[in-house]
Amino acid sequence: MIYAAAALAILVTMGLALTRALLGPTVYDRILAVNMFGTKTVLLIAVFAFLSDRTDILDIALLYVLINFISVIAVLKLVEQGNFFTSGESTTNKMKSK
Amino acid sequence: MMEFILGHYNYWIVIFLMMLGFYTVISRGNMVKKIVGLNIFQVSVFLLYISIGNVSGGTTPIIAEGFTRYSNPLPHVLILTAIVVGVATTALGLALVVRIKEAYGTIEEDEIHDQDQSL
Amino acid sequence: MIDILIDIILLSFLAIIAIAIIRTRSLLAVIMLFSIFSLLSAGLFMVLDASDVAFTEAAVGAGISTVLMLATLALTKSYEEKPSSHRPWIPLLVVSVTAAFLVYGTIDMPPFGDPNAPAHQHVAPRYIEQGAKETGVPNLVTAVLASYRGFDTLGEVTVVFTAGIGVLLLLGGRQRRKKKKEKR
Amino acid sequence: MIEQQLSLLLVAVPLLAAPVASILPNGRLPWLLALVVSWLCLAMAIWQFIIVLDGHIISYELGGWSPPWGIEYRIDAVNAFVALIVAGIAAVTMPYALRSVEQEIPKKQSSLFYATLLLFLVGLLGIAQTGDVFNLFVFLEISSLSSYVLIGMGRQRRALTAAYQYLIMGTIGATFLLIGIGLLYAETGSLNMVDLHARLENALDNRTVHTAFAFIVIGIGLKLAMFPLHQWLPNAYTYAPSVVTVFLAATATKVAVYVMLRMMFTVFSFSGFVRGTPADEMFLILGTAGIIAASIYAIYQRDAKRLLAFSSVAQVGYMVLGIGFGTALGLTATVVHIFNHALMKGALFMALGAIVYRIGSSQIDKFDGLGRQMPWTFGAIFIGGLSLIGIPGTAGFISKWYLVLAALEQQSWFITATILLGSLLAVVYVWKLVEVLFFRETSKNSKIKEAPLSLLIPMWLLVLANIYFGIDTRLTINAAKAAVQLLGVAP
Amino acid sequence: MILIDSLSWICIVTGGLLGIIGGFGIHRFPDFYSRLHAAGIADTLCALLILLGLALQAGFTLVSLKLFLIFAFLFFTSPTATHALANAALHARLKPKLANGKKK
Amino acid sequence: MKHNLILRVIAKFLIPIIVLFALYVQFHGDYSPGGGFQAGVIFSAAFILYAIVFGLDTAERVVPPRVLQILASIGVLIYAGTGFVTLFLGGNFLDYNVLAEQPVAGQHLGILIIELGVGITVSSVMLLIFFTFAGRNRP
């Protein structure tokens, strides 16, 4: 029961984050919303693991955290430097915020 | 009737998703977006398979104590393979897009078409 | 019951995202939305009791595919999609016909989650009942993947390998910018 | 021991060779490996063909699991025949590849290129051998992915767009196939072809199965370049490197035709799902439309490779017609045409490859008088062209003859007329090539030598095969008849 | 037992509410930086509370270790991502919306 | 990324954990979700993170592309090779029963080996693809 309530709360939050991701307005808002959405998905999975009583699927939640982190970092790298090969010392900043 | 809808709504939404992806592929001119559309199309097909493999009241097919009903593992296996095939296709498609951009200076199909015609 | 609710809500999120992807012009936003789409579909896979698939989709769709698309964007420097001059109704027609066909096909399909569906009656019971005994692996997906249908997986690895050398062939060499004239 | 494992080794040996080839040092070593492997495959394919020719069926259980649970290789005369064609073309193409690839592909990519070529071979052989629909999908994707790469290796930049277009259409096709397989699985719970057939017998009225059928046909139709779905093919053939064009044109669509046959006759029962339904008419209409439209397109092409590519679309139309008849004669015609078309398109594209090797272009207006400077290459084009038209004494005649017989048997005068008209149109476009090559004046300052022997020998091997199988039809017709019986159509 | 149950109830409910509040936060706040703020704080705390609630249910097992790991990851990655994001935005000269309402 | 000290520290701390997690997924895939493919992707994700944060050149010094290419081949060879080993031991292709005295033990061993092959190929190919994409256009 409590898990169901938690799942619902998380779903509502996801919906809110999703609307922000759709509305923008800047690219950073979108990234922020995507990040938040990812975090909430992780929580949803953790809750669902308990809901369905299969706690071994918590591994997936663990994976989600990682992947989410990496994709957010990758987006930032692209937005900030416009390429994937620099180590970060030089800043070419090809793309301004939208 | 109600029972019929409850038993099939999942397929219908999945079909709707599939068609959104398919539409993106065939209606857009931007090559990256086409590949995104292709991915959506494929992921929706995966959802169709997994829906087929679902058993209500079942659980994920890892044998554990306290569970007797498991969902069908075969569609899961097929989809694992299909996901891999999908990412391989995506990688190749994107590689081609990069090369096309270098050769033509654009990734819009219309402009590429114009350039080829003017040759 | 809550399963069904989560299922429906996640599916509608997916539909919203897919529509947004069609309508968004900024490619960066499209790719980020796609990343969410993958992540969410992976969540849906999990709700539908396919944890291995969820695992893979999360790692591949949200991880690798997104990063590759971003890398492509960095290389092509095309951040905006130009409005298409195609007439939209031909694709729309094709899609509607396909959708109509599919919906027609679902009419005779066994209801969602029906344990008596033919798909669960013929081949699958052996995997579920004997799989762990015959292979010594409690994760049935791994058992089927690696043993019963091990050859498919060999094919799958070959596909990955093909993609690897394919990308190397297409992008591996140094760029030949100076020869642009020759290339026509 | 080898005899039992033969059907598997045919796929597994090139599969093992491909990763090895990719890490060999660049140069001739990977080519040598590919050559040896392709000849080994040919030997195994011949052996396998001899075993199954008398109606014997090889069933090989991969992983030791019995069929509906594991994957089965099920070899009958049809599979063995198709595998033989693929392996044979590969064995002839590999010697040809050496010089041609050295010229068209940068040396430092040669090992990867041959590895991809081997993977393409693996994919095609895997499709031909398997008896499991999902395994078929996987190997279809191996062959498709490698062909996208191979096409993209062409020297002109349009090769890239051609490859991209093929990638999109091919993937849509594969996804349609996947949907079809999924729906079939939902209705039957099985993936094994023979098992599916048994379980579909009493599902004739099932709407899901009808949809599955439609999706599978469209999916394969895309791979097959069936007439309205052929848009990827001309560009792909035109801009791919010469070797790739030869290989692709001679094998890829043939294997797709085989898959279509397999699906229509082994998985679905033809009499139940096709005969008397709109699908039946559809095949005939698309076949005739394909023959006429593609032949007319071919006439107006200015690029020789493109001309032949459209001719391929037309030839696919003949094969589709044969399927549409669904009679023993029609199927014989299709199966024989799979073989004969591989021979003639192989020879023709090899000859064009030799011209490209010498002059670096396949534009017809650059061919003026080339036939007199390269007499052997011209000879190959001439005889290959005759075979394409279907002149008696060439292989092409045999398949057209059977097709006409099949049409007459159905008393379908319209289709008979179409087949003849298609041949007439073929005369026009072949003549277009011959005229430019032989009867135009050579431009004065050009000194073009005959193509090197390593290109000529494989080319003429196929040309001679065209003549041989036009006179001695025992092998092809017997094989086709055995095949037709296995597909369950009463003779 | 009841104590632990009720504790985990409280944790999960508060966590869920915080999540929703954070969700509203990224809609109600006027500009990017304040949204970042809302998301950052509410998000981390919400995750902490929910995971804590779950861990209380699971007891002292491998499961709670995994939950702890998830939390650790979130705890490290979420602020890192947020930080990097703020950095990037600042770097791209995205101006905060100031009291006088001037936007870039 | 400029001013990214925090990112660097966190990445240094996270990457070993990710690799550890990948190994867990690889070898625990028989009992919980996961297996060679997933492990391979996670493993490559660790290196992708490394390359993004510390620069591609540094990452390529750690794992040169040529090595990756060889590893990719080795993975496929391990898988296909297992098939050939079972052939020589008298079974069918990929029939792991013959790998050990007991069929079940053989199955388990076979599954472990081929999952290893899958893991090696997938991780190296994914990394290779990323390096190739990221390194294009590098000055």
Side-chain angles (χ1 to χ4, degrees):
Chain A
M1 187 54 217
I2 176 67
Y3 301 133
L8 280 182
I10 293 169
L11 282 173
V12 171
T13 320
M14 281 167 93
L16 290 168
L18 183 61
T19 29
R20 179 44 81 195
L22 296 182
L23 293 176
T26 66
V27 77
Y28 302 101
D29 285 297
R30 291 181 206 274
I31 303 176
L32 174 70
V34 168
N35 190 20
M36 187 168 173
F37 197 84
T39 317
K40 289 298 169 297
T41 320
V42 174
L43 290 180
L44 182 68
I45 287 171
V47 170
F48 187 81
F50 280 81
L51 192 66
S52 65
D53 208 16
R54 294 305 299 253
T55 41
D56 42 0
I57 51 182
L58 278 176
D59 290 1
I60 303 177
L62 209 54
L63 173 76
Y64 270 53
V65 192
L66 286 174
I67 293 295
N68 193 30
F69 177 65
I70 291 173
S71 53
V72 169
I73 296 294
V75 171
L76 286 172
K77 175 102 175 174
L78 174 67
V79 170
E80 208 177 292
Q81 293 181 357
N83 70 53
F84 276 94
F85 47 79
T86 50
S87 62
E89 301 311 326
S90 66
T91 40
T92 37
N93 209 358
K94 283 276 158 58
M95 197 196 158
K96 294 282 189 293
S97 70
K98 197 184 89 80
Chain B
M1 190 62 203
M2 194 58 206
E3 206 172 315
F4 180 72
I5 292 176
L6 265 183
H8 292 81
Y9 73 92
N10 196 298
Y11 302 131
W12 293 335
I13 308 182
V14 169
I15 289 170
F16 180 62
L17 274 176
M18 251 188 234
M19 290 308 120
L20 287 176
F22 189 35
Y23 178 75
T24 317
V25 182
I26 57 179
S27 73
R28 299 290 129 167
N30 186 291
M31 292 183 158
V32 173
K33 200 154 177 186
K34 265 177 142 53
I35 290 188
V36 173
L38 211 53
N39 268 295
I40 294 178
F41 187 27
Q42 287 181 327
V43 170
S44 324
V45 176
F46 304 161
L47 280 172
L48 176 73
Y49 268 71
I50 300 300
S51 307
I52 289 169
N54 186 271
V55 177
S56 51
T59 178
T60 184
I62 300 171
I63 298 289
E65 277 179 36
F67 296 100
T68 48
R69 191 183 264 188
Y70 298 96
S71 65
N72 189 342
L74 190 53
H76 301 184
V77 173
L78 306 183
I79 288 318
L80 279 184
T81 308
I83 289 177
V84 177
V85 171
V87 73
T89 315
T90 309
L92 279 181
L94 291 173
L96 282 171
V97 171
V98 169
R99 285 286 303 277
I100 287 172
K101 168 75 179 186
E102 286 167 7
Y104 288 84
T106 174
I107 56 169
E108 300 287 334
E109 271 188 344
D110 298 354
E111 291 172 17
I112 289 168
H113 193 69
D114 292 346
Q115 283 189 34
D116 277 342
Q117 291 296 309
S118 65
L119 275 173
Chain C
M1 199 58 215
I2 183 76
D3 287 28
I4 296 177
L5 193 66
I6 297 179
D7 181 57
I8 292 177
I9 294 179
L10 289 187
L11 273 174
S12 32
F13 278 176
L14 281 177
I16 293 171
I17 296 172
I19 293 171
I21 287 176
I22 294 181
R23 297 186 55 84
T24 312
R25 282 266 158 70
S26 156
L27 287 180
L28 190 61
V30 165
I31 291 170
M32 279 190 298
L33 286 174
F34 173 70
S35 149
I36 297 190
F37 184 90
S38 286
L39 211 58
L40 207 55
S41 60
L44 194 56
F45 286 140
M46 215 195 59
V47 176
L48 294 175
D49 297 329
S51 48
D52 272 272
V53 180
F55 215 120
T56 315
E57 177 62 32
V60 172
I64 298 293
S65 294
T66 311
V67 170
L68 287 184
M69 284 175 189
L70 290 172
T72 309
L73 222 52
L75 287 173
T76 57
K77 306 278 178 217
S78 312
Y79 296 104
E80 290 291 318
E81 181 199 5
K82 297 197 176 62
S84 171
S85 62
H86 293 292
R87 266 180 245 108
W89 56 268
I90 296 177
L92 213 56
L93 188 74
V94 173
V95 167
S96 322
V97 170
T98 321
F101 243 113
L102 274 171
V103 172
Y104 167 78
T106 57
I107 296 174
D108 278 350
M109 249 162 108
F112 173 62
D114 180 10
N116 296 319
H120 310 311
Q121 295 301 324
H122 181 47
V123 174
R126 155 127 184 223
Y127 297 143
I128 294 173
E129 283 151 23
Q130 308 288 326
K133 263 178 260 163
E134 284 179 344
T135 60
V137 173
N139 184 347
L140 298 174
V141 176
T142 305
V144 179
L145 182 86
S147 188
Y148 291 99
R149 296 188 71 88
F151 195 64
D152 264 358
T153 312
L154 179 56
E156 168 193 329
V157 175
T158 315
V159 167
V160 173
F161 180 71
T162 312
I165 59 177
V167 170
L168 264 188
L169 267 176
L170 289 171
L171 293 181
R174 284 271 167 221
Q175 225 170 328
R176 288 162 293 177
R177 273 201 166 159
K178 285 169 192 166
K179 293 183 184 171
K180 231 175 189 173
K181 280 177 195 165
E182 188 185 295
K183 265 185 177 173
R184 2 184 311 152
Chain D
M1 176 199 151
I2 292 183
E3 193 173 317
Q4 286 154 16
Q5 311 288 350
L6 203 59
S7 55
L8 168 92
L9 287 175
L10 188 53
V11 181
V13 168
L15 182 57
L16 197 67
V20 175
S22 77
I23 48 177
L24 286 177
N26 289 311
R28 293 201 170 179
L29 216 53
W31 169 75
L32 200 65
L33 179 69
L35 182 76
V36 171
V37 167
S38 64
W39 285 2
L40 213 60
C41 282
L42 179 60
M44 288 189 284
I46 292 175
W47 191 356
Q48 175 182 278
F49 185 63
I50 292 171
I51 295 175
V52 298
L53 194 56
D54 57 356
H56 186 76
I57 291 179
I58 304 176
S59 165
Y60 186 90
E61 294 168 1
L62 284 149
W65 300 109
S66 50
W69 294 281
I71 295 169
E72 181 196 20
Y73 268 8
R74 192 181 169 82
I75 318 293
D76 53 30
V78 197
N79 300 49
F81 192 55
V82 174
L84 180 69
I85 296 171
V86 173
I89 293 290
V92 186
T93 317
M94 285 303 173
Y96 180 91
L98 179 66
R99 296 293 289 271
S100 180
V101 169
E102 270 175 3
Q103 195 201 31
E104 293 189 15
I105 308 292
K107 184 167 179 261
K108 60 180 181 173
Q109 292 185 319
S110 58
S111 61
L112 289 178
F113 182 83
Y114 283 110
T116 318
L117 212 55
L118 278 172
L119 286 169
F120 186 48
L121 180 63
V122 171
L124 294 176
L125 287 173
I127 298 172
Q129 300 279 78
T130 191
D132 185 281
V133 280
F134 196 80
N135 196 243
L136 188 144
F137 166 77
V138 173
F139 278 83
L140 187 75
E141 281 294 314
I142 295 178
S143 73
S144 308
L145 286 176
S146 41
S147 63
Y148 307 147
V149 177
L150 290 170
I151 293 168
M153 293 303 292
R155 280 184 301 182
Q156 295 178 32
R157 67 178 188 181
R158 290 188 69 173
L160 297 168
T161 40
Y164 180 84
Q165 197 186 10
Y166 183 25
L167 184 134
I168 296 290
M169 292 189 76
T171 310
I172 292 176
T175 312
F176 270 47
L177 184 64
L178 198 61
I179 296 174
I181 293 172
L183 294 178
L184 274 190
Y185 179 74
E187 282 308 310
T188 61
S190 178
L191 292 168
N192 185 282
M193 289 178 182
V194 177
D195 197 30
L196 273 173
H197 183 84
R199 305 189 126 248
L200 286 174
E201 286 288 338
N202 42 20
L204 288 179
D205 298 329
N206 191 305
R207 280 171 273 208
T208 311
V209 177
H210 293 171
T211 312
F213 177 78
F215 272 78
I216 288 176
V217 167
I218 295 172
I220 302 169
L222 268 164
K223 290 277 172 194
L224 182 73
M226 202 160 75
F227 169 60
L229 308 171
H230 69 276
Q231 277 93 348
W232 58 270
L233 187 139
N235 281 334
Y237 282 13
T238 312
Y239 300 107
S242 301
V243 177
V244 179
T245 311
V246 172
F247 207 14
L248 205 63
T251 56
T253 46
K254 313 298 161 293
V255 172
V257 173
Y258 155 76
V259 176
M260 187 72 105
L261 281 175
R262 202 29 107 190
M263 286 290 174
M264 300 266 257
F265 292 93
T266 305
V267 177
F268 297 94
S269 57
F270 187 84
S271 51
F273 285 98
V274 185
R275 174 135 312 140
T277 64
D280 200 5
E281 303 281 310
M282 209 62 177
F283 274 107
L284 293 179
I285 293 170
L286 292 183
T288 43
I291 294 172
I292 302 293
S295 300
I296 292 174
Y297 269 121
I299 293 171
Y300 288 100
Q301 296 308 315
R302 280 179 297 173
D303 186 301
K305 272 178 149 182
R306 214 178 163 80
L307 185 151
L308 288 184
F310 272 105
S311 147
S312 275
V313 178
Q315 304 294 321
V316 167
Y318 290 114
M319 298 178 208
V320 172
L321 266 189
I323 297 177
F325 287 136
T327 56
L329 271 174
L331 280 191
T332 312
T334 300
V335 175
V336 173
H337 201 49
I338 291 178
F339 182 77
N340 290 340
H341 185 230
L343 290 182
M344 52 201 177
K345 274 291 150 56
L348 281 168
F349 275 116
M350 275 187 180
L352 277 187
I355 293 178
V356 173
Y357 183 80
R358 281 299 181 214
I359 70 169
S361 164
S362 57
Q363 296 285 321
I364 294 180
D365 48 11
K366 292 189 181 143
F367 285 4
D368 291 353
L370 220 56
R372 277 170 285 175
Q373 287 164 317
M374 303 173 75
W376 287 99
T377 309
F378 171 71
I381 291 186
F382 187 68
I383 297 176
L386 290 185
S387 188
L388 197 60
I389 297 165
I391 302 286
T394 57
F397 171 70
I398 308 296
S399 32
K400 293 254 167 81
W401 175 248
Y402 271 90
L403 201 59
V404 170
L405 283 184
L408 288 178
E409 187 192 47
Q410 303 275 310
Q411 305 201 326
S412 171
W413 303 107
F414 176 69
I415 291 175
T416 316
T418 311
I419 297 167
L420 297 178
L421 181 64
S423 285
L424 277 181
L425 290 170
V427 174
V428 178
Y429 58 72
V430 170
W431 175 252
K432 186 174 166 182
L433 277 182
V434 170
E435 191 255 344
V436 174
L437 278 170
F438 199 73
F439 293 100
R440 291 255 177 99
E441 279 305 308
T442 317
S443 52
K444 278 162 196 153
N445 49 2
S446 70
K447 289 194 199 95
I448 290 159
K449 281 187 294 186
E450 179 56 87
L453 271 183
S454 70
L455 301 189
L456 280 181
I457 291 174
M459 186 195 309
W460 271 87
L461 219 59
L462 285 181
V463 171
L464 292 178
N466 261 310
I467 299 176
Y468 177 79
F469 289 110
I471 296 165
D472 179 5
T473 58
R474 278 170 305 172
L475 174 77
T476 44
I477 296 297
N478 281 343
K481 281 192 173 149
V484 167
Q485 270 179 3
L486 285 166
L487 291 172
V489 178
Chain E
M1 220 42 227
I2 292 172
L3 181 72
I4 290 181
D5 262 357
S6 47
L7 254 178
S8 84
W9 267 80
I10 294 170
C11 282
I12 292 178
V13 169
T14 330
L17 282 179
L18 263 174
I20 296 177
I21 292 170
F24 275 109
I26 61 167
H27 278 273
R28 296 290 300 160
F29 279 101
D31 76 335
F32 170 71
Y33 293 98
S34 44
R35 281 179 212 139
L36 196 66
H37 185 74
I41 291 179
D43 237 25
T44 316
L45 201 57
C46 154
L48 171 69
L49 285 173
I50 289 183
L51 291 174
L52 191 66
L54 292 179
L56 282 173
Q57 286 285 335
F60 201 70
T61 52
L62 183 68
V63 174
S64 45
L65 177 70
K66 276 183 191 167
L67 284 171
F68 173 74
L69 269 179
I70 294 172
F71 172 68
F73 270 105
L74 270 182
F75 188 73
F76 280 117
T77 59
S78 189
T80 315
T82 318
H83 170 84
L85 191 58
N87 227 330
L90 204 62
H91 195 81
R93 295 183 190 82
L94 181 71
K95 291 272 179 343
K97 196 173 191 179
L98 296 173
N100 55 9
K102 258 190 201 166
K103 213 176 175 184
K104 178 189 171 182
Chain F
M1 295 175 198
K2 221 176 172 185
H3 317 298
N4 55 0
L5 189 65
I6 295 181
L7 200 56
R8 283 170 183 246
V9 172
I10 295 290
K12 261 189 186 154
F13 165 78
L14 274 183
I15 286 168
I17 300 181
I18 302 178
V19 172
L20 211 63
F21 182 51
L23 290 176
Y24 165 79
V25 172
Q26 170 85 50
F27 293 108
H28 202 257
D30 311 353
Y31 304 101
S32 60
F37 185 80
Q38 293 90 333
V41 174
I42 298 171
F43 199 79
S44 62
F47 274 92
I48 289 176
L49 181 62
Y50 186 80
I52 290 178
V53 176
F54 295 97
L56 191 61
D57 294 324
T58 329
E60 283 191 345
R61 269 199 294 281
V62 179
V63 268
R66 178 70 190 163
V67 173
L68 285 177
Q69 201 194 327
I70 293 172
L71 276 175
S73 302
I74 287 176
V76 181
L77 288 177
I78 288 177
Y79 202 142
T82 313
F84 276 93
V85 168
T86 58
L87 276 190
F88 288 125
L89 290 177
N92 269 358
F93 195 72
L94 294 175
D95 182 357
Y96 313 126
N97 284 347
V98 293
L99 285 178
E101 304 268 307
Q102 295 286 321
V104 176
Q107 287 285 345
H108 207 145
L109 181 67
I111 290 176
L112 269 183
I113 296 175
I114 62 123
E115 289 275 13
L116 191 67
V118 176
I120 292 175
T121 299
V122 170
S123 56
S124 42
V125 165
M126 293 300 163
L127 209 48
L128 195 60
I129 291 177
F130 175 76
F131 280 0
T132 319
F133 267 92
R136 188 88 177 163
N137 267 338
R138 186 165 32 172

